[in-house]
Amino acid sequence: MFNIYQHMKANSEGRDPGESSTTGHDRFYQERPRTSYRKKKRRGACRRAQSAAELNHESIAAANKRNMFRMRSVSTDREDSEESGKQDEADGTSCNRTSSIFDFILSIPFRRGFARMDFSLLLGFLEENSERTPLVAQKIDSLAKLLFNKSFMGSSSGKSSPSEPTPSPKVDETSMENTVSLAICSEYLSHTSRYDMISPLASIGLRSTKHWFAVHDNSIKTDRLLTLMPLPTKCPIEPNEMTRALIMELFRALHHPYIYPVLDLELCNGHALAVLPFNARGSLKDLLYKSTWSDEYSRKYGSAGTGLPAWQVARFGRQILEGLLFLKDKGFPPFRHLHSGNIMVQNGVARICGLENTLIAARPRSWLSSVPLEHAEAIGLGHVLFEMCAGTDTDLSLLPDLLPAYQNVVEIIELIFGPRTPSLHELLISELFRKIDLREMKGSCLPNFSQRLSRSCLSLLGEVARRQAGAAAAPPPNTRCL
């Protein structure tokens, strides 16, 4: 061992000084001094707190004056202004009230999901201040006009150009309706902790007075669809707690595989708010036109749609027919709002929705307004069958073109629109529907469909049916409805 170290020492002494002393892995792995590139933060010298004797009294007095000025109220300004002349009092009061209006505007919170402030609060505040004194009325009016013009007619950047066209009164009226509906929906959500606003939706339906919102259900952590629609003048339902309890009892009893549930229905501020499950697939009309459910109605259905296979038309038709018969057995009034937009498709199952339209006596579409009540559901089913075959609205002149591919369906359509409209039970035993296998009705865990309604609930349905019969006898106005 001693000889080995002597040999290594001799080699090191006879090596060229320019040769590297590292070999093998050492020349790639070398420890470098650890240096930090971060500048060390200089620590300031510890400063002791000043005593009361060392403080600057002039600075303290100036700070107190600033705080007193910030906390001044309208009553304080009014007391100060009484000591001055009448002209100074009028000018000071109007200035202070104008500043308080601006402070109130800035205090209005912006809600998540939409960019506009809640103007219902602003309108109430302006009306309250305008009634106090006429000296501030002119400034309040000019301020309100400025805010509403910037909100409804201004661009998103807030800049206006003389070359820009003046918006039409229809656009301004639509903006006002959207703002009012947003305020009503926000008020409803503020009184319940179950739902939170996500965002308003576009006009996805044909009815121009109906508004749509996406909300989040905090109870089961899922999204819902909230609809808002003004109540008609002849609404048969009184907005009170007893009626609301009966409506919820009714919707719980209408639990069926081919009925789209209504989770909640509230009548407030002259509007009906309905909460429905969220369906990403959309309605049957969206399936036919291959459109996105959340797009505007005018954009979704501009072009012609595509018909479904004959077997799928027969299956959807039988499912819709079973849903209508279930409603009839429960004592529900004739459903005059049956169309492809009111049929939801979930996992290959067609489900009827829009039941709240019947309860509030909303006017149906034009072709169902003049139809007798006893034939309204069969006529509506005939329109849906034709649209599922042709991918467009009903045009009986196209039936010969549909006959080769949809022979049995065309026979049912001709029977429905013939001189004698068949009943729902007669359609059920037809060749097209009687051989359809309904696997959704064979589940072992299905609820009891024979659940009976209370006398109060049946009385409510009877009143709705009586009002519906009276409205059907009156001549319908020329309006487009959903």
Side-chain angles (χ1 to χ4, degrees), residues 112 114 185 189-190 192-199 213-219 221-224 226:
R112 182 185 64 180
F114 32 87
C185 181
L189 295 178
S190 64
T192 176
S193 59
R194 178 176 179 179
Y195 304 110
D196 287 333
M197 171 71 73
I198 297 178
S199 64
F213 302 90
V215 296
H216 183 74
D217 192 343
N218 297 319
S219 61
K221 308 299 180 183
T222 187
D223 295 339
R224 302 296 191 189
L226 188 147

mmCIF file with all atom_site columns, all heavy atoms in Angstrom, residues 112 114 185 189-190 192-199 213-219 221-224 226:
data_model
loop_
_atom_site.group_PDB
_atom_site.id
_atom_site.type_symbol
_atom_site.label_atom_id
_atom_site.label_alt_id
_atom_site.label_comp_id
_atom_site.label_asym_id
_atom_site.label_entity_id
_atom_site.label_seq_id
_atom_site.pdbx_PDB_ins_code
_atom_site.Cartn_x
_atom_site.Cartn_y
_atom_site.Cartn_z
_atom_site.occupancy
_atom_site.B_iso_or_equiv
_atom_site.pdbx_formal_charge
_atom_site.auth_seq_id
_atom_site.auth_comp_id
_atom_site.auth_asym_id
_atom_site.auth_atom_id
_atom_site.pdbx_PDB_model_num
ATOM 1   N N   . ARG A 1 112 ? -72.305 38.779 -10.697 1.00 0.00 ? 112 ARG A N   1
ATOM 2   C CA  . ARG A 1 112 ? -71.555 37.865 -11.517 1.00 0.00 ? 112 ARG A CA  1
ATOM 3   C C   . ARG A 1 112 ? -72.404 37.353 -12.662 1.00 0.00 ? 112 ARG A C   1
ATOM 4   O O   . ARG A 1 112 ? -73.524 36.948 -12.486 1.00 0.00 ? 112 ARG A O   1
ATOM 5   C CB  . ARG A 1 112 ? -71.106 36.668 -10.666 1.00 0.00 ? 112 ARG A CB  1
ATOM 6   C CG  . ARG A 1 112 ? -70.264 35.666 -11.418 1.00 0.00 ? 112 ARG A CG  1
ATOM 7   C CD  . ARG A 1 112 ? -69.982 34.477 -10.550 1.00 0.00 ? 112 ARG A CD  1
ATOM 8   N NE  . ARG A 1 112 ? -71.212 33.778 -10.238 1.00 0.00 ? 112 ARG A NE  1
ATOM 9   C CZ  . ARG A 1 112 ? -71.260 32.687 -9.495  1.00 0.00 ? 112 ARG A CZ  1
ATOM 10  N NH1 . ARG A 1 112 ? -70.167 32.180 -8.970  1.00 0.00 ? 112 ARG A NH1 1
ATOM 11  N NH2 . ARG A 1 112 ? -72.427 32.099 -9.254  1.00 0.00 ? 112 ARG A NH2 1
ATOM 12  N N   . PHE A 1 114 ? -73.251 39.106 -15.509 1.00 0.00 ? 114 PHE A N   1
ATOM 13  C CA  . PHE A 1 114 ? -73.766 40.112 -16.412 1.00 0.00 ? 114 PHE A CA  1
ATOM 14  C C   . PHE A 1 114 ? -73.094 41.428 -16.092 1.00 0.00 ? 114 PHE A C   1
ATOM 15  O O   . PHE A 1 114 ? -72.631 41.666 -14.985 1.00 0.00 ? 114 PHE A O   1
ATOM 16  C CB  . PHE A 1 114 ? -75.288 40.265 -16.335 1.00 0.00 ? 114 PHE A CB  1
ATOM 17  C CG  . PHE A 1 114 ? -75.855 40.013 -14.981 1.00 0.00 ? 114 PHE A CG  1
ATOM 18  C CD1 . PHE A 1 114 ? -75.946 41.020 -14.039 1.00 0.00 ? 114 PHE A CD1 1
ATOM 19  C CD2 . PHE A 1 114 ? -76.292 38.740 -14.650 1.00 0.00 ? 114 PHE A CD2 1
ATOM 20  C CE1 . PHE A 1 114 ? -76.479 40.778 -12.815 1.00 0.00 ? 114 PHE A CE1 1
ATOM 21  C CE2 . PHE A 1 114 ? -76.820 38.506 -13.407 1.00 0.00 ? 114 PHE A CE2 1
ATOM 22  C CZ  . PHE A 1 114 ? -76.915 39.524 -12.487 1.00 0.00 ? 114 PHE A CZ  1
ATOM 23  N N   . CYS A 1 185 ? -85.618 38.589 -11.837 1.00 0.00 ? 185 CYS A N   1
ATOM 24  C CA  . CYS A 1 185 ? -84.923 37.324 -11.562 1.00 0.00 ? 185 CYS A CA  1
ATOM 25  C C   . CYS A 1 185 ? -83.939 37.474 -10.406 1.00 0.00 ? 185 CYS A C   1
ATOM 26  O O   . CYS A 1 185 ? -83.838 36.585 -9.550  1.00 0.00 ? 185 CYS A O   1
ATOM 27  C CB  . CYS A 1 185 ? -84.203 36.855 -12.828 1.00 0.00 ? 185 CYS A CB  1
ATOM 28  S SG  . CYS A 1 185 ? -83.325 35.293 -12.651 1.00 0.00 ? 185 CYS A SG  1
ATOM 29  N N   . LEU A 1 189 ? -83.967 35.402 -6.833  1.00 0.00 ? 189 LEU A N   1
ATOM 30  C CA  . LEU A 1 189 ? -82.820 34.640 -6.349  1.00 0.00 ? 189 LEU A CA  1
ATOM 31  C C   . LEU A 1 189 ? -82.300 35.162 -5.019  1.00 0.00 ? 189 LEU A C   1
ATOM 32  O O   . LEU A 1 189 ? -81.686 34.406 -4.255  1.00 0.00 ? 189 LEU A O   1
ATOM 33  C CB  . LEU A 1 189 ? -81.694 34.682 -7.393  1.00 0.00 ? 189 LEU A CB  1
ATOM 34  C CG  . LEU A 1 189 ? -81.997 34.003 -8.731  1.00 0.00 ? 189 LEU A CG  1
ATOM 35  C CD1 . LEU A 1 189 ? -80.831 34.162 -9.685  1.00 0.00 ? 189 LEU A CD1 1
ATOM 36  C CD2 . LEU A 1 189 ? -82.320 32.526 -8.538  1.00 0.00 ? 189 LEU A CD2 1
ATOM 37  N N   . SER A 1 190 ? -82.527 36.453 -4.736  1.00 0.00 ? 190 SER A N   1
ATOM 38  C CA  . SER A 1 190 ? -82.063 36.999 -3.463  1.00 0.00 ? 190 SER A CA  1
ATOM 39  C C   . SER A 1 190 ? -82.871 36.472 -2.279  1.00 0.00 ? 190 SER A C   1
ATOM 40  O O   . SER A 1 190 ? -82.397 36.542 -1.139  1.00 0.00 ? 190 SER A O   1
ATOM 41  C CB  . SER A 1 190 ? -82.133 38.531 -3.508  1.00 0.00 ? 190 SER A CB  1
ATOM 42  O OG  . SER A 1 190 ? -83.474 38.967 -3.636  1.00 0.00 ? 190 SER A OG  1
ATOM 43  N N   . THR A 1 192 ? -83.943 33.299 -2.020  1.00 0.00 ? 192 THR A N   1
ATOM 44  C CA  . THR A 1 192 ? -83.725 31.866 -1.866  1.00 0.00 ? 192 THR A CA  1
ATOM 45  C C   . THR A 1 192 ? -82.228 31.577 -1.908  1.00 0.00 ? 192 THR A C   1
ATOM 46  O O   . THR A 1 192 ? -81.484 32.205 -2.669  1.00 0.00 ? 192 THR A O   1
ATOM 47  C CB  . THR A 1 192 ? -84.447 31.073 -2.975  1.00 0.00 ? 192 THR A CB  1
ATOM 48  O OG1 . THR A 1 192 ? -84.138 29.675 -2.835  1.00 0.00 ? 192 THR A OG1 1
ATOM 49  C CG2 . THR A 1 192 ? -84.033 31.523 -4.354  1.00 0.00 ? 192 THR A CG2 1
ATOM 50  N N   . SER A 1 193 ? -81.804 30.665 -1.080  1.00 0.00 ? 193 SER A N   1
ATOM 51  C CA  . SER A 1 193 ? -80.392 30.275 -1.053  1.00 0.00 ? 193 SER A CA  1
ATOM 52  C C   . SER A 1 193 ? -80.122 29.036 -1.901  1.00 0.00 ? 193 SER A C   1
ATOM 53  O O   . SER A 1 193 ? -78.972 28.592 -1.971  1.00 0.00 ? 193 SER A O   1
ATOM 54  C CB  . SER A 1 193 ? -79.957 30.005 0.393   1.00 0.00 ? 193 SER A CB  1
ATOM 55  O OG  . SER A 1 193 ? -80.745 28.965 0.967   1.00 0.00 ? 193 SER A OG  1
ATOM 56  N N   . ARG A 1 194 ? -81.139 28.517 -2.543  1.00 0.00 ? 194 ARG A N   1
ATOM 57  C CA  . ARG A 1 194 ? -80.946 27.286 -3.310  1.00 0.00 ? 194 ARG A CA  1
ATOM 58  C C   . ARG A 1 194 ? -80.304 27.560 -4.666  1.00 0.00 ? 194 ARG A C   1
ATOM 59  O O   . ARG A 1 194 ? -79.469 26.781 -5.131  1.00 0.00 ? 194 ARG A O   1
ATOM 60  C CB  . ARG A 1 194 ? -82.290 26.580 -3.514  1.00 0.00 ? 194 ARG A CB  1
ATOM 61  C CG  . ARG A 1 194 ? -82.186 25.315 -4.334  1.00 0.00 ? 194 ARG A CG  1
ATOM 62  C CD  . ARG A 1 194 ? -83.511 24.579 -4.445  1.00 0.00 ? 194 ARG A CD  1
ATOM 63  N NE  . ARG A 1 194 ? -83.388 23.381 -5.267  1.00 0.00 ? 194 ARG A NE  1
ATOM 64  C CZ  . ARG A 1 194 ? -84.382 22.534 -5.530  1.00 0.00 ? 194 ARG A CZ  1
ATOM 65  N NH1 . ARG A 1 194 ? -85.582 22.756 -5.008  1.00 0.00 ? 194 ARG A NH1 1
ATOM 66  N NH2 . ARG A 1 194 ? -84.181 21.470 -6.284  1.00 0.00 ? 194 ARG A NH2 1
ATOM 67  N N   . TYR A 1 195 ? -80.677 28.679 -5.315  1.00 0.00 ? 195 TYR A N   1
ATOM 68  C CA  . TYR A 1 195 ? -80.200 28.947 -6.665  1.00 0.00 ? 195 TYR A CA  1
ATOM 69  C C   . TYR A 1 195 ? -79.312 30.178 -6.672  1.00 0.00 ? 195 TYR A C   1
ATOM 70  O O   . TYR A 1 195 ? -79.553 31.145 -5.936  1.00 0.00 ? 195 TYR A O   1
ATOM 71  C CB  . TYR A 1 195 ? -81.383 29.170 -7.624  1.00 0.00 ? 195 TYR A CB  1
ATOM 72  C CG  . TYR A 1 195 ? -82.377 28.034 -7.659  1.00 0.00 ? 195 TYR A CG  1
ATOM 73  C CD1 . TYR A 1 195 ? -83.661 28.178 -7.117  1.00 0.00 ? 195 TYR A CD1 1
ATOM 74  C CD2 . TYR A 1 195 ? -82.042 26.807 -8.215  1.00 0.00 ? 195 TYR A CD2 1
ATOM 75  C CE1 . TYR A 1 195 ? -84.571 27.146 -7.144  1.00 0.00 ? 195 TYR A CE1 1
ATOM 76  C CE2 . TYR A 1 195 ? -82.951 25.762 -8.242  1.00 0.00 ? 195 TYR A CE2 1
ATOM 77  C CZ  . TYR A 1 195 ? -84.221 25.935 -7.707  1.00 0.00 ? 195 TYR A CZ  1
ATOM 78  O OH  . TYR A 1 195 ? -85.111 24.906 -7.734  1.00 0.00 ? 195 TYR A OH  1
ATOM 79  N N   . ASP A 1 196 ? -78.302 30.137 -7.538  1.00 0.00 ? 196 ASP A N   1
ATOM 80  C CA  . ASP A 1 196 ? -77.406 31.263 -7.802  1.00 0.00 ? 196 ASP A CA  1
ATOM 81  C C   . ASP A 1 196 ? -77.390 31.537 -9.294  1.00 0.00 ? 196 ASP A C   1
ATOM 82  O O   . ASP A 1 196 ? -77.434 30.602 -10.113 1.00 0.00 ? 196 ASP A O   1
ATOM 83  C CB  . ASP A 1 196 ? -75.979 30.975 -7.323  1.00 0.00 ? 196 ASP A CB  1
ATOM 84  C CG  . ASP A 1 196 ? -75.880 31.007 -5.800  1.00 0.00 ? 196 ASP A CG  1
ATOM 85  O OD1 . ASP A 1 196 ? -76.703 31.718 -5.186  1.00 0.00 ? 196 ASP A OD1 1
ATOM 86  O OD2 . ASP A 1 196 ? -75.001 30.329 -5.238  1.00 0.00 ? 196 ASP A OD2 1
ATOM 87  N N   . MET A 1 197 ? -77.309 32.812 -9.634  1.00 0.00 ? 197 MET A N   1
ATOM 88  C CA  . MET A 1 197 ? -77.276 33.204 -11.037 1.00 0.00 ? 197 MET A CA  1
ATOM 89  C C   . MET A 1 197 ? -75.939 32.816 -11.679 1.00 0.00 ? 197 MET A C   1
ATOM 90  O O   . MET A 1 197 ? -74.866 33.024 -11.103 1.00 0.00 ? 197 MET A O   1
ATOM 91  C CB  . MET A 1 197 ? -77.504 34.706 -11.151 1.00 0.00 ? 197 MET A CB  1
ATOM 92  C CG  . MET A 1 197 ? -77.272 35.277 -12.538 1.00 0.00 ? 197 MET A CG  1
ATOM 93  S SD  . MET A 1 197 ? -78.559 34.790 -13.707 1.00 0.00 ? 197 MET A SD  1
ATOM 94  C CE  . MET A 1 197 ? -79.916 35.797 -13.145 1.00 0.00 ? 197 MET A CE  1
ATOM 95  N N   . ILE A 1 198 ? -76.008 32.243 -12.874 1.00 0.00 ? 198 ILE A N   1
ATOM 96  C CA  . ILE A 1 198 ? -74.815 31.997 -13.682 1.00 0.00 ? 198 ILE A CA  1
ATOM 97  C C   . ILE A 1 198 ? -74.702 33.057 -14.762 1.00 0.00 ? 198 ILE A C   1
ATOM 98  O O   . ILE A 1 198 ? -73.725 33.801 -14.815 1.00 0.00 ? 198 ILE A O   1
ATOM 99  C CB  . ILE A 1 198 ? -74.840 30.582 -14.300 1.00 0.00 ? 198 ILE A CB  1
ATOM 100 C CG1 . ILE A 1 198 ? -74.831 29.510 -13.194 1.00 0.00 ? 198 ILE A CG1 1
ATOM 101 C CG2 . ILE A 1 198 ? -73.654 30.382 -15.233 1.00 0.00 ? 198 ILE A CG2 1
ATOM 102 C CD1 . ILE A 1 198 ? -74.892 28.096 -13.717 1.00 0.00 ? 198 ILE A CD1 1
ATOM 103 N N   . SER A 1 199 ? -75.709 33.164 -15.615 1.00 0.00 ? 199 SER A N   1
ATOM 104 C CA  . SER A 1 199 ? -75.707 34.194 -16.653 1.00 0.00 ? 199 SER A CA  1
ATOM 105 C C   . SER A 1 199 ? -77.059 34.207 -17.348 1.00 0.00 ? 199 SER A C   1
ATOM 106 O O   . SER A 1 199 ? -77.743 33.180 -17.410 1.00 0.00 ? 199 SER A O   1
ATOM 107 C CB  . SER A 1 199 ? -74.603 33.925 -17.689 1.00 0.00 ? 199 SER A CB  1
ATOM 108 O OG  . SER A 1 199 ? -74.858 32.716 -18.380 1.00 0.00 ? 199 SER A OG  1
ATOM 109 N N   . PHE A 1 213 ? -82.586 32.115 -18.220 1.00 0.00 ? 213 PHE A N   1
ATOM 110 C CA  . PHE A 1 213 ? -81.411 32.314 -17.389 1.00 0.00 ? 213 PHE A CA  1
ATOM 111 C C   . PHE A 1 213 ? -80.837 30.950 -17.010 1.00 0.00 ? 213 PHE A C   1
ATOM 112 O O   . PHE A 1 213 ? -81.585 29.986 -16.819 1.00 0.00 ? 213 PHE A O   1
ATOM 113 C CB  . PHE A 1 213 ? -81.749 33.096 -16.110 1.00 0.00 ? 213 PHE A CB  1
ATOM 114 C CG  . PHE A 1 213 ? -82.360 34.444 -16.364 1.00 0.00 ? 213 PHE A CG  1
ATOM 115 C CD1 . PHE A 1 213 ? -83.741 34.583 -16.473 1.00 0.00 ? 213 PHE A CD1 1
ATOM 116 C CD2 . PHE A 1 213 ? -81.572 35.564 -16.495 1.00 0.00 ? 213 PHE A CD2 1
ATOM 117 C CE1 . PHE A 1 213 ? -84.314 35.822 -16.697 1.00 0.00 ? 213 PHE A CE1 1
ATOM 118 C CE2 . PHE A 1 213 ? -82.133 36.803 -16.736 1.00 0.00 ? 213 PHE A CE2 1
ATOM 119 C CZ  . PHE A 1 213 ? -83.503 36.937 -16.833 1.00 0.00 ? 213 PHE A CZ  1
ATOM 120 N N   . ALA A 1 214 ? -79.529 30.905 -16.899 1.00 0.00 ? 214 ALA A N   1
ATOM 121 C CA  . ALA A 1 214 ? -78.845 29.713 -16.392 1.00 0.00 ? 214 ALA A CA  1
ATOM 122 C C   . ALA A 1 214 ? -78.523 29.946 -14.924 1.00 0.00 ? 214 ALA A C   1
ATOM 123 O O   . ALA A 1 214 ? -77.875 30.943 -14.574 1.00 0.00 ? 214 ALA A O   1
ATOM 124 C CB  . ALA A 1 214 ? -77.565 29.438 -17.181 1.00 0.00 ? 214 ALA A CB  1
ATOM 125 N N   . VAL A 1 215 ? -78.970 29.050 -14.055 1.00 0.00 ? 215 VAL A N   1
ATOM 126 C CA  . VAL A 1 215 ? -78.751 29.165 -12.615 1.00 0.00 ? 215 VAL A CA  1
ATOM 127 C C   . VAL A 1 215 ? -78.102 27.882 -12.107 1.00 0.00 ? 215 VAL A C   1
ATOM 128 O O   . VAL A 1 215 ? -78.126 26.841 -12.782 1.00 0.00 ? 215 VAL A O   1
ATOM 129 C CB  . VAL A 1 215 ? -80.069 29.444 -11.863 1.00 0.00 ? 215 VAL A CB  1
ATOM 130 C CG1 . VAL A 1 215 ? -80.648 30.781 -12.273 1.00 0.00 ? 215 VAL A CG1 1
ATOM 131 C CG2 . VAL A 1 215 ? -81.080 28.326 -12.095 1.00 0.00 ? 215 VAL A CG2 1
ATOM 132 N N   . HIS A 1 216 ? -77.527 27.981 -10.922 1.00 0.00 ? 216 HIS A N   1
ATOM 133 C CA  . HIS A 1 216 ? -76.867 26.831 -10.292 1.00 0.00 ? 216 HIS A CA  1
ATOM 134 C C   . HIS A 1 216 ? -77.664 26.413 -9.065  1.00 0.00 ? 216 HIS A C   1
ATOM 135 O O   . HIS A 1 216 ? -78.010 27.245 -8.223  1.00 0.00 ? 216 HIS A O   1
ATOM 136 C CB  . HIS A 1 216 ? -75.436 27.186 -9.896  1.00 0.00 ? 216 HIS A CB  1
ATOM 137 C CG  . HIS A 1 216 ? -74.677 26.035 -9.310  1.00 0.00 ? 216 HIS A CG  1
ATOM 138 N ND1 . HIS A 1 216 ? -74.202 24.989 -10.066 1.00 0.00 ? 216 HIS A ND1 1
ATOM 139 C CD2 . HIS A 1 216 ? -74.314 25.765 -8.022  1.00 0.00 ? 216 HIS A CD2 1
ATOM 140 C CE1 . HIS A 1 216 ? -73.583 24.124 -9.294  1.00 0.00 ? 216 HIS A CE1 1
ATOM 141 N NE2 . HIS A 1 216 ? -73.637 24.574 -8.043  1.00 0.00 ? 216 HIS A NE2 1
ATOM 142 N N   . ASP A 1 217 ? -77.958 25.124 -8.984  1.00 0.00 ? 217 ASP A N   1
ATOM 143 C CA  . ASP A 1 217 ? -78.696 24.560 -7.857  1.00 0.00 ? 217 ASP A CA  1
ATOM 144 C C   . ASP A 1 217 ? -77.692 24.134 -6.788  1.00 0.00 ? 217 ASP A C   1
ATOM 145 O O   . ASP A 1 217 ? -76.919 23.186 -6.981  1.00 0.00 ? 217 ASP A O   1
ATOM 146 C CB  . ASP A 1 217 ? -79.534 23.367 -8.322  1.00 0.00 ? 217 ASP A CB  1
ATOM 147 C CG  . ASP A 1 217 ? -80.547 22.925 -7.282  1.00 0.00 ? 217 ASP A CG  1
ATOM 148 O OD1 . ASP A 1 217 ? -80.387 23.320 -6.107  1.00 0.00 ? 217 ASP A OD1 1
ATOM 149 O OD2 . ASP A 1 217 ? -81.489 22.190 -7.627  1.00 0.00 ? 217 ASP A OD2 1
ATOM 150 N N   . ASN A 1 218 ? -77.683 24.853 -5.662  1.00 0.00 ? 218 ASN A N   1
ATOM 151 C CA  . ASN A 1 218 ? -76.717 24.565 -4.604  1.00 0.00 ? 218 ASN A CA  1
ATOM 152 C C   . ASN A 1 218 ? -77.061 23.312 -3.818  1.00 0.00 ? 218 ASN A C   1
ATOM 153 O O   . ASN A 1 218 ? -76.193 22.765 -3.121  1.00 0.00 ? 218 ASN A O   1
ATOM 154 C CB  . ASN A 1 218 ? -76.632 25.759 -3.640  1.00 0.00 ? 218 ASN A CB  1
ATOM 155 C CG  . ASN A 1 218 ? -76.128 27.007 -4.331  1.00 0.00 ? 218 ASN A CG  1
ATOM 156 O OD1 . ASN A 1 218 ? -75.207 26.965 -5.139  1.00 0.00 ? 218 ASN A OD1 1
ATOM 157 N ND2 . ASN A 1 218 ? -76.735 28.151 -4.010  1.00 0.00 ? 218 ASN A ND2 1
ATOM 158 N N   . SER A 1 219 ? -78.295 22.838 -3.899  1.00 0.00 ? 219 SER A N   1
ATOM 159 C CA  . SER A 1 219 ? -78.686 21.666 -3.104  1.00 0.00 ? 219 SER A CA  1
ATOM 160 C C   . SER A 1 219 ? -78.052 20.387 -3.630  1.00 0.00 ? 219 SER A C   1
ATOM 161 O O   . SER A 1 219 ? -77.632 19.538 -2.849  1.00 0.00 ? 219 SER A O   1
ATOM 162 C CB  . SER A 1 219 ? -80.207 21.534 -3.083  1.00 0.00 ? 219 SER A CB  1
ATOM 163 O OG  . SER A 1 219 ? -80.709 21.359 -4.403  1.00 0.00 ? 219 SER A OG  1
ATOM 164 N N   . LYS A 1 221 ? -75.748 20.611 -6.441  1.00 0.00 ? 221 LYS A N   1
ATOM 165 C CA  . LYS A 1 221 ? -74.551 21.014 -7.184  1.00 0.00 ? 221 LYS A CA  1
ATOM 166 C C   . LYS A 1 221 ? -74.687 20.724 -8.679  1.00 0.00 ? 221 LYS A C   1
ATOM 167 O O   . LYS A 1 221 ? -73.876 20.020 -9.278  1.00 0.00 ? 221 LYS A O   1
ATOM 168 C CB  . LYS A 1 221 ? -73.308 20.305 -6.631  1.00 0.00 ? 221 LYS A CB  1
ATOM 169 C CG  . LYS A 1 221 ? -73.122 20.430 -5.139  1.00 0.00 ? 221 LYS A CG  1
ATOM 170 C CD  . LYS A 1 221 ? -72.965 21.868 -4.696  1.00 0.00 ? 221 LYS A CD  1
ATOM 171 C CE  . LYS A 1 221 ? -72.767 21.983 -3.189  1.00 0.00 ? 221 LYS A CE  1
ATOM 172 N NZ  . LYS A 1 221 ? -72.676 23.383 -2.738  1.00 0.00 ? 221 LYS A NZ  1
ATOM 173 N N   . THR A 1 222 ? -75.707 21.267 -9.292  1.00 0.00 ? 222 THR A N   1
ATOM 174 C CA  . THR A 1 222 ? -75.893 21.101 -10.729 1.00 0.00 ? 222 THR A CA  1
ATOM 175 C C   . THR A 1 222 ? -76.542 22.355 -11.291 1.00 0.00 ? 222 THR A C   1
ATOM 176 O O   . THR A 1 222 ? -77.031 23.206 -10.547 1.00 0.00 ? 222 THR A O   1
ATOM 177 C CB  . THR A 1 222 ? -76.764 19.866 -11.029 1.00 0.00 ? 222 THR A CB  1
ATOM 178 O OG1 . THR A 1 222 ? -76.793 19.634 -12.437 1.00 0.00 ? 222 THR A OG1 1
ATOM 179 C CG2 . THR A 1 222 ? -78.184 20.079 -10.532 1.00 0.00 ? 222 THR A CG2 1
ATOM 180 N N   . ASP A 1 223 ? -76.533 22.482 -12.617 1.00 0.00 ? 223 ASP A N   1
ATOM 181 C CA  . ASP A 1 223 ? -77.079 23.660 -13.279 1.00 0.00 ? 223 ASP A CA  1
ATOM 182 C C   . ASP A 1 223 ? -78.553 23.437 -13.624 1.00 0.00 ? 223 ASP A C   1
ATOM 183 O O   . ASP A 1 223 ? -78.979 22.310 -13.919 1.00 0.00 ? 223 ASP A O   1
ATOM 184 C CB  . ASP A 1 223 ? -76.290 23.984 -14.552 1.00 0.00 ? 223 ASP A CB  1
ATOM 185 C CG  . ASP A 1 223 ? -74.862 24.379 -14.254 1.00 0.00 ? 223 ASP A CG  1
ATOM 186 O OD1 . ASP A 1 223 ? -74.592 24.782 -13.105 1.00 0.00 ? 223 ASP A OD1 1
ATOM 187 O OD2 . ASP A 1 223 ? -73.996 24.290 -15.152 1.00 0.00 ? 223 ASP A OD2 1
ATOM 188 N N   . ARG A 1 224 ? -79.306 24.536 -13.626 1.00 0.00 ? 224 ARG A N   1
ATOM 189 C CA  . ARG A 1 224 ? -80.724 24.505 -13.953 1.00 0.00 ? 224 ARG A CA  1
ATOM 190 C C   . ARG A 1 224 ? -81.024 25.591 -14.983 1.00 0.00 ? 224 ARG A C   1
ATOM 191 O O   . ARG A 1 224 ? -80.197 26.464 -15.259 1.00 0.00 ? 224 ARG A O   1
ATOM 192 C CB  . ARG A 1 224 ? -81.574 24.749 -12.703 1.00 0.00 ? 224 ARG A CB  1
ATOM 193 C CG  . ARG A 1 224 ? -81.338 23.750 -11.575 1.00 0.00 ? 224 ARG A CG  1
ATOM 194 C CD  . ARG A 1 224 ? -81.739 22.350 -11.950 1.00 0.00 ? 224 ARG A CD  1
ATOM 195 N NE  . ARG A 1 224 ? -81.749 21.457 -10.801 1.00 0.00 ? 224 ARG A NE  1
ATOM 196 C CZ  . ARG A 1 224 ? -81.891 20.144 -10.880 1.00 0.00 ? 224 ARG A CZ  1
ATOM 197 N NH1 . ARG A 1 224 ? -82.050 19.563 -12.053 1.00 0.00 ? 224 ARG A NH1 1
ATOM 198 N NH2 . ARG A 1 224 ? -81.878 19.398 -9.792  1.00 0.00 ? 224 ARG A NH2 1
ATOM 199 N N   . LEU A 1 226 ? -83.816 28.555 -15.799 1.00 0.00 ? 226 LEU A N   1
ATOM 200 C CA  . LEU A 1 226 ? -84.887 29.368 -15.228 1.00 0.00 ? 226 LEU A CA  1
ATOM 201 C C   . LEU A 1 226 ? -85.532 30.188 -16.335 1.00 0.00 ? 226 LEU A C   1
ATOM 202 O O   . LEU A 1 226 ? -84.831 30.859 -17.107 1.00 0.00 ? 226 LEU A O   1
ATOM 203 C CB  . LEU A 1 226 ? -84.343 30.280 -14.125 1.00 0.00 ? 226 LEU A CB  1
ATOM 204 C CG  . LEU A 1 226 ? -85.373 31.061 -13.291 1.00 0.00 ? 226 LEU A CG  1
ATOM 205 C CD1 . LEU A 1 226 ? -84.877 31.222 -11.866 1.00 0.00 ? 226 LEU A CD1 1
ATOM 206 C CD2 . LEU A 1 226 ? -85.649 32.445 -13.883 1.00 0.00 ? 226 LEU A CD2 1
#
